[in-house]
Amino acid sequence: MEGKELAAGSGGDEGSKDALGKPLGPTPSQSRFQVDLVAEGPRKSCGDLGVAGKGGEEAKGRFRVNFVDPSAGGESPGEPGGGSSEGGNVSGVQNGGDTVMSEGSLHSGGHHHYYYDTHTNTYYLRTFGHNTMDAVPRIDHYRQTAADLGEKLLRPSLAELHDELDKEPFEDGYANGEEGTPAGDAAAAYTPDSKGVVKFGWIKGVLVRCMLNIWGVMLFIRLSWIVGQAGIGLSVLVIGMATVVTTITGLSTSAIATNGFVRGGGAYYLISRSLGPEFGGAIGLIFAFANAVAVAMYVVGFAETVVELLKENGTLMIDEMNDIRIIGAITVVILLGISIAGMEWEAKAQIVLLVILILAIGDFVIGTFIPLDSKKPKGFFGYKAEIFMENFGPDFRQEETFFSVFAIFFPAATGILAGANISGDLADPQSAIPKGTLLAILITTLVYVGIAVSVGSCVVRDATGNVNDTIVTELTNCTAAACKLNYDFSSCQSPAGCHYGLMNNFQVMSMVSGFAPLISAGIFSATLSSALASLVSAPKIFQALCKDNIYPGFQMFAKGYGKNNEPLRGYILTFLIALGFILIAELNVIAPIISNFFLASYALINFSVFHASLAKSPGWRPAFKYYNMWISLVGAILCCIVMFVINWWAALLTYVIVLGLYIYVTYKKPDVNWGSSTQALTYLNALQHSIRLSGVEDHVKNFRPQCLIMTGAPNARPALLHLVHAFTKNVGLMICGHVHMGPRRQAMKELSTDLAKYQRWLIKNKMKAFYAPVHAEDLRDGGQYLMQAAGLGRMRPNTLVVGFKKNWRQGDMRDVETYINLFHDAFDVQYGVVVIRLQEGLDISHLQGQDLLSSQEKSPCTKDVIVKVDYSKKSETDTSIAFAPSSSERTPTPRKDSKSSSSPLNLADQRLLDASSQFQKKQGKSNIDVWWLFDDGGLTLLIPYLITTKKKWKDCKIRVFIGGKINRIDHDRRAMATLLSKFRIDFSDIMVLGDINTKPKKENIAAFEEMIEPFRLHEDDKEQEVADKMKEDEPWRITDNELELYKTKTYRQIRLNELLKEHSSTANIIVMSLPVARKGAVSSALYMAWLEVLSKDLPPILLVRGNHQSVLTFYS
């Protein structure tokens, strides 16, 4: 309990207020926060606290953390009381330092532990009554910085909690895969939701909107016609089929919409964040276009009604079709004006529209019970069993079919996404979207069925409208229901037809209703609200799509205007599309096009749920539980079938458009990462296949060279990378190993930043490779770590690739010892070894300097971080020493090189740069010379064969050189030709070298002896004790005994170099067996000298030694 209260004694209250009122002032600093150690002693009085000059509070914890705004300078912070923080989440301080929450805070509960001052961005972190940096769980830590609901707060990083305090400033860090803004912004004032924002409940927000969208033009002016064509039975089936599709989609929408916060963009947002930008981008365009066309459909419905009224009153302007076009065009201009003026339909206006709609439906229902004699000639007789029986079966006319009628009705079932589209404005989208959407589907379906049955029971299919068609005498040949009701409408069978009845009059509902103008009002309300909703949503969806920059050409439409960020350019585009379709003026032509586009959206929403469930991503946990992945899959398939049912050519067109857009977006690869289920499923497949692969024994037929290349920073040795890539691309694994040495703390930071940076670099340069950095005390340890631990299951490296250590004679011989020991370590773990040598060298990092990194895109880790770590003050032993060719040479680090990269290069450097890119070019007609002197299992032969399968190398021919005896040259050649043909490896020539063991030229022997002279021990000229001590201290030295023992082998290397110059000096690349040195018997200097003399002054050479297990077979 000690230290719980801040002050003691009579002046306690005043002192505590003073202590709290003057928190620690921030000092100008580049760090995001500073840490002040707090003495942990006996309690001081307030006077003592004041004298201390800190104005701080005594604390039980060891330190207090202050987040500092660098821009604040030396200003003193505002008081952290409720009065000073505008909209902050602190309204006062209680005894003991507990925080009093304001209502605005989104974090509930009394155990809240932050003092937070919005003016100075200063946190006083207090957890469970202790001053500690560790933060308690809080919603603001999980926000994205772009969230509307409040600013993201940064929890302390692991380094901040775990690392020593007196080191350099901590790096900023973001949650996995989360995009971030500069740390200063992220620590900006957190303001809870403003109370002015209206949040809708499930009725106003979802139910009302969905019902308004679903009930539309079809309800009043097409449903009666559908009943006439299909009959009551099939009409109910049509409605039922549409409902099944929309219900399954409603369930899927509920699942996706409750799997996290949904922003604007409706179906586009749901699909793109679930399936990724490829499907999202394709469907976003289609969905926006469908909404634009829907505006035309609703407006044409409205215009048809107006034209009917004009026709009844005999006041047509030109003719029926052109009047629809004129009225439609005028209407859409007015709607555009309303949209651009920013007139927001508030929930009350929506309810008013809904009330009009419900009154209109009620008006119709009441009308059905009041059969007036004046309406009988027009075919309305009230509820009659005869009419019900006659209208129950179908009577398709004018080439209509069940499916064509279904196609015309289906758009009446769309509109179920109206609630999901505004999920950001809902108080509780998790419960509102499922409840509102599904209830809207249920209510609207019941009304559709009810009206279909009612109108089918009351109105005959054909009526003349002529009062004189009553039957006076009994007609024997008249069996129609109208005849039984004393009306003869048989004249309607003539080609001229009639103008009344279900089949002929689209305004049947007006005629049946008790008060016809109310039906017209209902039509106006339904069509105009739907048209306006679509006119607003199409640009919003398109704007969301353009903001994501999936189609760079549409970027101009992302711009918003005014405080609500209205997409005015999108409004104009939508207006033009709608106007174009209004000029078609045929509802029956427009409806199938829209249906297909909406159905494509529905199909992908259903598929999203199936895909996310299949991927088993831990992030897929919808709050709405009443969905099933298989039902969603069935829903997706149903949507695709219905598309063909509605209109096969429109369906094919939709598929082609979606596929084309999908391919385009895939090809463009937008730089977005939304954690889609596509990523999750890719991971799951990779994991499952890797595990399955691990259960299978390796087979020689499936052997692949899986290379661990010691590149250091991958961009430092491009030639090494490109050459290995030539025989591993799409064949085997390629891992770029990079050993970081030096101070562990610094190396650990570099490890994480390098991992992201260089993996990006590999992908950007189309390298199918992985980057694997490790930290080790020295090169050899790092190499051992990588050889033992790199890879996964069967996807593990089996071949070590290193560059030749070109400057070994000038450098520290301990580096050579380490380098040669790598080979021994590789052979110990059954790796093959490949040494690659270019005469010009491999390492170009000293030529690139600063530009090496600035030319790449910034890695996410280095995105405008306030902490600027000055890497230029590193110690001489750089932490990022690369592997090969020169282990002492530095890899590029983010600092300005003293030598500017723009200065002209000397000749050697220019040659090095040219050589580094030589394997990126097409190789032309040349030779790959394979010197297969020793049988290592076939790796020496397999690598050149794989190289020739690549496009850049396909014109190269393989020439094989083997050793043999002079008296058996023909025999050896035939034997090798037989072996190669059994291996099915094409070759252009086989040369048998019978003079391998001839003594080399004297001058070459003398040059070799001169080269190794500095590295000899000369133990014969020294005392035994001195020689032993020297050998112990410098194990790499060459003893006289060793030199004599391996004289023949030495001569062979010198002789081979002579032969190589003679036969292979024009080859594009030479692949040769690597000589093996016995561990512990051959010194590092002698082995290095062998490699040097063997490979000097030659074209690019690969010294290859497999692990002596067969990698080639001639068995099928």
Side-chain angles (χ1 to χ4, degrees), residues 906-919:
N906 60 37
L907 193 59
D909 284 345
Q910 189 56 55
R911 280 185 183 152
L912 173 57
L913 265 182
D914 294 342
S916 71
S917 61
Q918 64 180 312
F919 301 123

Side-chain angles (χ1 to χ4, degrees), residues 88-101:
N89 58 351
V90 176
S91 58
V93 179
Q94 289 176 332
N95 288 342
D98 289 332
T99 308
V100 181
M101 300 302 302

Side-chain angles (χ1 to χ4, degrees), residues 351-650:
I351 287 173
V352 167
L353 287 169
L354 188 65
V355 166
I356 295 171
L357 260 175
I358 291 170
L359 286 175
I361 293 166
D363 179 32
F364 164 78
V365 172
I366 292 165
T368 57
F369 291 102
I370 313 170
L372 299 175
D373 287 345
S374 61
K375 293 180 183 177
K376 286 184 179 178
K378 295 180 180 177
F380 169 52
F381 295 93
Y383 290 99
K384 301 288 181 190
E386 299 92 333
I387 299 177
F388 179 83
M389 293 308 295
E390 184 178 87
N391 286 345
F392 192 80
D395 180 15
F396 294 112
R397 302 182 196 172
Q398 296 149 1
E399 298 179 5
E400 297 292 350
T401 62
F402 173 76
F403 292 120
S404 71
V405 168
F406 176 75
I408 287 164
F409 173 76
F410 190 81
T414 59
I416 59 168
L417 295 179
N421 283 346
I422 63 148
S423 59
D425 297 315
L426 300 174
D428 182 12
Q430 264 80 358
S431 70
I433 290 175
K435 217 188 293 182
T437 306
L438 296 172
L439 189 59
I441 292 171
L442 177 67
I443 293 171
T444 51
T445 303
L446 290 176
V447 170
Y448 276 134
V449 170
I451 289 180
V453 172
S454 291
V455 81
S457 309
C458 296
V459 185
V460 294
R461 283 193 166 104
D462 297 290
T464 56
N466 189 343
V467 184
N468 299 326
D469 282 341
T470 48
I471 303 173
V472 182
T473 57
E474 189 72 29
L475 292 176
T476 53
N477 61 346
C478 183
T479 55
C483 295
K484 295 172 187 169
L485 299 167
N486 299 330
Y487 274 85
D488 177 14
F489 296 139
S490 53
S491 59
C492 292
Q493 306 305 322
S494 66
C498 303
H499 295 293
Y500 293 97
L502 295 176
M503 290 295 215
N504 312 307
N505 183 9
F506 287 150
Q507 305 292 340
V508 164
M509 282 187 73
S510 296
M511 185 261 293
V512 171
S513 66
F515 182 61
L518 199 50
I519 295 289
S520 299
I523 293 172
F524 296 163
S525 149
T527 51
L528 295 181
S529 69
S530 299
L532 197 54
S534 296
L535 185 57
V536 170
S537 62
K540 296 270 187 192
I541 294 160
F542 195 50
Q543 185 184 30
L545 176 71
C546 297
K547 272 185 180 169
D548 288 335
N549 201 19
I550 288 175
Y551 303 105
F554 292 145
Q555 190 62 33
M556 59 178 289
F557 291 104
K559 184 172 170 58
Y561 296 86
K563 60 174 184 178
N564 286 342
N565 202 26
E566 294 290 344
L568 298 187
R569 294 171 180 179
Y571 282 132
I572 303 296
L573 183 67
T574 308
F575 164 73
L576 294 173
I577 293 170
L579 193 61
F581 278 91
I582 284 167
L583 297 179
I584 298 175
E586 273 290 336
L587 208 54
N588 294 7
V589 176
I590 296 172
I593 299 170
I594 301 186
S595 303
N596 268 305
F597 285 174
F598 277 125
L599 276 164
S601 311
Y602 292 175
L604 279 178
I605 287 176
N606 285 315
F607 184 69
S608 297
V609 170
F610 168 73
H611 200 268
S613 304
L614 187 68
K616 299 185 177 75
S617 169
W620 172 251
R621 38 181 197 278
F624 179 77
K625 301 295 181 194
Y626 304 101
Y627 70 93
N628 178 284
M629 61 185 283
W630 300 110
I631 289 177
S632 292
L633 180 63
V634 167
I637 294 166
L638 276 178
C639 289
C640 295
I641 293 169
V642 170
M643 285 170 75
F644 274 102
V645 164
I646 285 176
N647 191 318
W648 67 268
W649 61 262

Side-chain angles (χ1 to χ4, degrees), residues 119-323:
H119 297 300
T120 58
N121 302 336
T122 305
Y123 293 85
Y124 299 83
L125 296 160
R126 175 179 277 277
T127 306
F128 311 129
H130 291 268
N131 276 2
T132 170
M133 291 171 64
D134 228 345
V136 291
R138 173 175 178 145
I139 192 171
D140 301 300
H141 293 146
Y142 294 90
R143 294 192 190 288
Q144 292 175 348
T145 44
D148 311 322
L149 299 179
E151 286 295 340
K152 176 185 177 70
L153 297 183
L154 296 182
R155 69 176 72 78
S157 72
L158 196 56
E160 290 164 12
L161 294 174
H162 172 251
D163 281 6
E164 298 163 39
L165 274 176
D166 54 351
K167 300 291 181 187
E168 59 195 61
F170 303 111
E171 294 269 6
D172 196 356
Y174 296 102
N176 298 336
E178 223 173 71
E179 294 171 12
T181 55
D185 295 349
Y190 162 68
T191 49
D193 295 340
S194 114
K195 291 181 183 171
V197 174
V198 176
K199 292 283 185 183
F200 299 122
W202 69 273
I203 294 178
K204 286 184 185 175
V206 183
L207 182 69
V208 170
R209 285 166 199 274
C210 285
M211 282 165 62
L212 271 172
N213 267 277
I214 296 170
W215 282 333
V217 60
M218 293 295 172
L219 176 64
F220 295 107
I221 61 175
R222 280 292 180 278
L223 195 54
S224 56
W225 176 85
I226 287 168
V227 173
Q229 292 280 358
I232 295 169
L234 290 184
S235 295
V236 172
L237 184 62
V238 163
I239 296 164
M241 282 169 60
T243 304
V244 167
V245 174
T246 54
T247 304
I248 294 174
T249 309
L251 293 171
S252 299
T253 306
S254 302
I256 301 181
T258 59
N259 190 48
F261 178 74
V262 181
R263 288 203 180 88
Y268 160 69
Y269 190 89
L270 297 178
I271 293 169
S272 64
R273 294 320 188 263
S274 183
L275 285 179
E278 295 84 5
F279 275 122
I283 219 63
L285 270 187
I286 296 255
F287 194 63
F289 185 69
N291 272 287
V293 178
V295 176
M297 185 183 83
Y298 296 128
V299 169
V300 168
F302 168 74
E304 271 192 16
T305 311
V306 176
V307 169
E308 282 292 328
L309 292 174
L310 292 176
K311 197 164 74 172
E312 279 178 22
N313 298 320
T315 53
L316 279 180
M317 290 179 276
I318 306 168
D319 57 53
E320 219 171 312
M321 188 62 81
N322 286 319
D323 278 16

Side-chain angles (χ1 to χ4, degrees), residues 113 137 221 228 320 379 408 410 538 562 664 799 842 915 917 927 942 945 960:
H113 315 289
I221 61 175
E320 219 171 312
I408 287 164
F410 190 81
Y664 170 81
T799 308
L842 290 165
S917 61
N927 294 317
L942 180 62
Y945 163 72
V960 180

